[in-house]
Amino acid sequence: MAGINVLSLVWASAVLLVAVRAELKPKTCTEVRLAYGSKGFNHNDVPHQGVNGAQLKVCPQGFTCCTPEMEEKLSQQSRTDLRAPVTQLSSNLQNTFTQRHRHFDQFFKELLDNAERSLHDMFTRTYGVMYVQHAELFKQFFQDLKRYYVSGGVNLEQMLSEFWAGLLERMFKLVNVQYHFTEEYMECVSKHTEQLKPFGDVPRKLKLQVTRAFVAARTFAQGLAVIGDVVSKVSTVNASPDCVRAAMKMMYCPYCSGQVALKPCPNYCLNVMKGCLANQADMDTEWNNIMDAMLNLAERLEGPFNIEAVMDPIDVKISDAIMNMQENSMQVSQKVFQGCGQPRPAVPDRVSRSAPDGGFNARFRPYNPEERPTTAAGTSLDRLVPDVKKHLKLAKKFWSTLPESVCAGERVSAGDECWNGTAKSRYNSAVMGNGLANQVANPDVEVDITKPDLVIRRQIMVLRLMTSRLKSAHNGHDVTFFDMSEDGSGEESGSGCEGQHCTSDFVFTITKIPPVIVRSGEVSGAVSLPLTSFVLLLGAASLAMLASRR
């Protein structure tokens, strides 16, 4: 009787084991055939019934609906599917900053064009032929401003000094037409422009305003271009073979088990993506730093470094300087004669030919608000800056939160009954931290933490250097940097780029700008830069060495 009970128990266990195995076997691979075909593959490659999966390299072995050939094709598909959400998110971010750079760049350029047109129209009406005869001086002034903004190849302080010296030379001759001045004599006059102060305090104030505003505007536009370019380069970094293997296991191994609708557990997806995007996450510190630096410089653009507030009334300011010279012409002339010597009298008929019609009698009249030219680019700085500030704030921590952005919505399961890498069950492993160093114990992706991605490390350096330049611009100082990219020729880079594809691998050198002297009613931008200069040059040397090794 006892023997019969034992036999019955053994028989029942055998029947149960067969039933369990039958349950585990994919009864049919019809759904897999449909899903596989929807990916663009030949559905005839899928077996009608489950087969032995002993030859599979990634997915669980046993009875399966996948063949080794299918597994290989699905691995390639997983590479594409892994890139798709990352590319989409990165492209959206890149487009955001590329568009803002285009808007700012267009605005700044049109602002300069409008300011030049405004000055030309009003000076023509006010000073007539006297202005027309010397219009090239003002034309060169705006050309130099534009050249600085586009290429940076202009020393703003020197350019402004030369402009005022040139204006003094022309005006000095006009108010002293009874004398003949040699080139050597006019050189003496030009050398004493700052001591003479023929234009009052206008040159000093305008130099301070123009230098700060143009450095800030150019650097801010450049920062937008660099951000977009960095995103573009980082988004093209290929996934490692281990990452592709992990993505295949997460996305398509449920197919092989006949569970095509089964989605990965959220934390499982996070570990896979944190491993695959570990290098990108290491950008987060420098990325957040450049976002903060851009936000700080944006505050300056809205306030004391507002280029629109400087350029709109620049015609009025220059005219005020001319009026100061006119009103103080006798005192200025006497000081010049004392310092440079008494000039020789001019030939009488030359005096009559050179005498201006009416001199500088007409006081310059600025535009009324309704006469002002159309706002540059159809917008204003008051609209552009708040918009870009909003997007800068939203972009912070983009790289460290990229795994969470990918592992969201329909890409993952909403409940605990999900694919955990081996079966439909709860995922119990802890979620790894961000960055390469935290992937040592990643249970789902093998990550070699000793081999950081060189493309991404290079972009980290680009961000760091651009942040230093933004900080210098925030303090009223300029930094010149040169293109070191494969596409660049070594020429100075300007407002970012003329087209949509911008290069952003740069070496920095400090441009010598004297400390800003603070006077009552003005905002200080004076900062000592010896340590900054040393750090930047050190970074430049490191980047150059990296480039030569590659």
Coordinates of all heavy atoms in Angstrom, one line a residue, residues 219-253:
T219 N 29.9 87.4 -26.3 CA 30.2 86.2 -25.6 C 28.9 85.4 -25.3 O 28.9 84.2 -25.4 CB 30.8 86.6 -24.2 OG1 32.0 87.4 -24.5 CG2 31.3 85.3 -23.5
F220 N 27.8 86.1 -25.1 CA 26.5 85.5 -24.9 C 26.1 84.7 -26.1 O 25.6 83.6 -26.0 CB 25.5 86.5 -24.5 CG 24.2 85.9 -23.9 CD1 24.1 85.4 -22.6 CD2 23.1 85.8 -24.7 CE1 23.0 84.9 -22.1 CE2 21.9 85.2 -24.2 CZ 21.8 84.8 -22.9
A221 N 26.2 85.4 -27.3 CA 25.8 84.7 -28.5 C 26.7 83.5 -28.8 O 26.2 82.4 -29.2 CB 25.9 85.7 -29.7
Q222 N 28.0 83.7 -28.5 CA 28.9 82.6 -28.6 C 28.6 81.4 -27.7 O 28.7 80.2 -28.1 CB 30.3 83.1 -28.4 CG 31.4 82.6 -29.3 CD 32.5 83.5 -29.4 OE1 32.8 84.3 -28.4 NE2 33.3 83.5 -30.5
G223 N 28.2 81.7 -26.5 CA 27.8 80.7 -25.5 C 26.6 79.9 -26.1 O 26.6 78.6 -25.9
L224 N 25.6 80.5 -26.6 CA 24.5 79.8 -27.2 C 24.9 78.9 -28.3 O 24.5 77.7 -28.4 CB 23.5 80.8 -27.7 CG 22.7 81.6 -26.7 CD1 21.9 82.7 -27.4 CD2 21.8 80.7 -25.8
A225 N 25.9 79.4 -29.2 CA 26.4 78.5 -30.3 C 27.1 77.3 -29.8 O 27.0 76.2 -30.3 CB 27.2 79.4 -31.2
V226 N 28.0 77.6 -28.7 CA 28.8 76.5 -28.2 C 27.9 75.4 -27.5 O 28.1 74.2 -27.7 CB 29.8 77.0 -27.2 CG1 30.4 75.9 -26.3 CG2 30.9 77.8 -27.9
I227 N 26.9 75.8 -26.8 CA 26.0 74.9 -26.2 C 25.3 74.0 -27.2 O 25.3 72.8 -27.0 CB 24.9 75.6 -25.3 CG1 25.6 76.3 -24.1 CG2 23.8 74.7 -24.9 CD1 24.6 77.2 -23.4
G228 N 24.8 74.6 -28.2 CA 24.2 73.8 -29.3 C 25.1 72.8 -30.0 O 24.8 71.7 -30.3
D229 N 26.4 73.3 -30.2 CA 27.4 72.5 -30.8 C 27.8 71.3 -29.9 O 28.0 70.2 -30.4 CB 28.6 73.3 -31.2 CG 29.5 72.6 -32.1 OD1 29.1 72.2 -33.2 OD2 30.7 72.5 -31.8
V230 N 27.9 71.6 -28.7 CA 28.3 70.5 -27.7 C 27.2 69.4 -27.7 O 27.5 68.2 -27.7 CB 28.5 71.1 -26.3 CG1 28.6 69.9 -25.3 CG2 29.8 71.9 -26.3
V231 N 26.0 69.8 -27.6 CA 24.9 68.8 -27.7 C 24.9 68.0 -28.9 O 24.8 66.8 -28.9 CB 23.5 69.5 -27.5 CG1 22.4 68.5 -27.7 CG2 23.4 70.3 -26.2
S232 N 25.2 68.6 -30.1 CA 25.2 67.9 -31.3 C 26.3 66.9 -31.3 O 26.1 65.7 -31.8 CB 25.5 68.9 -32.5 OG 25.7 68.3 -33.7
K233 N 27.5 67.2 -30.8 CA 28.6 66.3 -30.8 C 28.4 65.1 -29.8 O 28.8 64.0 -30.1 CB 29.9 67.0 -30.5 CG 30.4 67.9 -31.7 CD 31.6 68.7 -31.4 CE 32.0 69.5 -32.6 NZ 33.3 70.3 -32.4
V234 N 27.9 65.5 -28.7 CA 27.7 64.4 -27.7 C 26.6 63.4 -28.1 O 26.7 62.2 -27.8 CB 27.3 65.1 -26.3 CG1 26.9 64.0 -25.3 CG2 28.5 65.9 -25.8
S235 N 25.6 63.9 -28.8 CA 24.5 63.1 -29.2 C 24.9 62.1 -30.3 O 24.2 61.1 -30.5 CB 23.3 63.9 -29.7 OG 23.7 64.6 -30.9
T236 N 26.0 62.3 -30.9 CA 26.5 61.3 -31.9 C 27.4 60.2 -31.4 O 27.9 59.4 -32.2 CB 27.2 62.1 -33.1 OG1 28.4 62.7 -32.5 CG2 26.3 63.1 -33.7
V237 N 27.7 60.3 -30.1 CA 28.6 59.2 -29.5 C 27.9 57.9 -29.6 O 26.7 57.7 -29.2 CB 28.9 59.6 -28.0 CG1 29.6 58.5 -27.3 CG2 29.7 60.9 -28.0
N238 N 28.6 56.9 -30.1 CA 28.0 55.6 -30.3 C 28.0 54.8 -29.0 O 28.8 54.9 -28.1 CB 28.8 54.8 -31.3 CG 28.7 55.3 -32.7 OD1 27.6 55.8 -33.1 ND2 29.8 55.3 -33.5
A239 N 27.0 53.9 -28.9 CA 26.9 53.0 -27.7 C 27.9 51.9 -27.8 O 28.3 51.5 -28.9 CB 25.5 52.4 -27.7
S240 N 28.4 51.5 -26.7 CA 29.4 50.4 -26.6 C 28.7 49.1 -26.9 O 27.5 48.9 -26.8 CB 30.0 50.4 -25.2 OG 29.1 50.0 -24.3
P241 N 29.5 48.1 -27.3 CA 28.9 46.7 -27.5 C 28.2 46.2 -26.3 O 27.2 45.5 -26.4 CB 30.2 45.9 -27.9 CG 31.1 46.9 -28.5 CD 30.9 48.1 -27.7
D242 N 28.8 46.4 -25.1 CA 28.1 46.0 -23.9 C 26.8 46.6 -23.7 O 25.8 46.0 -23.2 CB 29.1 46.2 -22.7 CG 30.2 45.2 -22.7 OD1 30.1 44.1 -23.1 OD2 31.3 45.7 -22.2
C243 N 26.7 47.9 -24.0 CA 25.5 48.7 -23.9 C 24.5 48.1 -24.9 O 23.3 48.0 -24.5 CB 25.8 50.1 -24.2 SG 24.3 51.1 -24.1
V244 N 24.9 47.8 -26.1 CA 23.9 47.3 -27.1 C 23.4 45.9 -26.6 O 22.2 45.6 -26.8 CB 24.6 47.2 -28.5 CG1 23.7 46.4 -29.5 CG2 25.0 48.6 -29.0
R245 N 24.3 45.1 -26.1 CA 23.9 43.8 -25.5 C 22.9 44.0 -24.4 O 21.8 43.2 -24.4 CB 25.1 43.1 -25.0 CG 24.9 41.7 -24.4 CD 26.2 41.1 -23.8 NE 25.9 39.9 -23.2 CZ 26.0 38.7 -23.8 NH1 26.4 38.7 -25.1 NH2 25.8 37.6 -23.2
A246 N 23.1 44.9 -23.5 CA 22.1 45.1 -22.4 C 20.8 45.7 -23.0 O 19.7 45.3 -22.5 CB 22.7 46.1 -21.4
A247 N 20.9 46.5 -24.0 CA 19.6 47.0 -24.6 C 18.8 45.9 -25.3 O 17.6 45.9 -25.2 CB 20.0 48.1 -25.6
M248 N 19.6 45.1 -25.9 CA 18.9 43.9 -26.6 C 18.2 43.0 -25.6 O 17.0 42.7 -25.7 CB 19.9 43.1 -27.3 CG 19.5 41.7 -27.7 SD 18.2 41.6 -28.9 CE 17.7 39.8 -28.7
K249 N 18.9 42.8 -24.5 CA 18.3 41.9 -23.4 C 17.0 42.6 -22.8 O 16.1 41.9 -22.5 CB 19.3 41.7 -22.4 CG 18.9 40.7 -21.3 CD 20.1 40.5 -20.3 CE 19.7 39.5 -19.2 NZ 20.8 39.3 -18.2
M250 N 17.1 43.9 -22.7 CA 16.0 44.6 -22.1 C 14.8 44.8 -23.0 O 13.6 44.6 -22.6 CB 16.4 46.0 -21.6 CG 15.3 46.9 -21.0 SD 15.9 48.5 -20.5 CE 16.2 49.3 -22.0
M251 N 15.0 45.0 -24.3 CA 14.0 45.4 -25.2 C 13.4 44.2 -25.9 O 12.1 44.1 -26.1 CB 14.5 46.4 -26.3 CG 14.9 47.7 -25.8 SD 15.6 48.7 -27.1 CE 16.1 50.2 -26.2
Y252 N 14.2 43.2 -26.3 CA 13.7 42.2 -27.2 C 13.8 40.7 -26.7 O 13.2 39.8 -27.3 CB 14.5 42.3 -28.6 CG 14.1 43.5 -29.3 CD1 15.0 44.5 -29.5 CD2 12.8 43.7 -29.8 CE1 14.7 45.7 -30.2 CE2 12.4 44.9 -30.4 CZ 13.4 45.8 -30.7 OH 13.0 47.0 -31.3
C253 N 14.4 40.5 -25.6 CA 14.4 39.2 -25.0 C 12.9 38.8 -24.6 O 12.6 37.6 -24.7 CB 15.3 39.0 -23.8 SG 17.1 38.9 -24.4

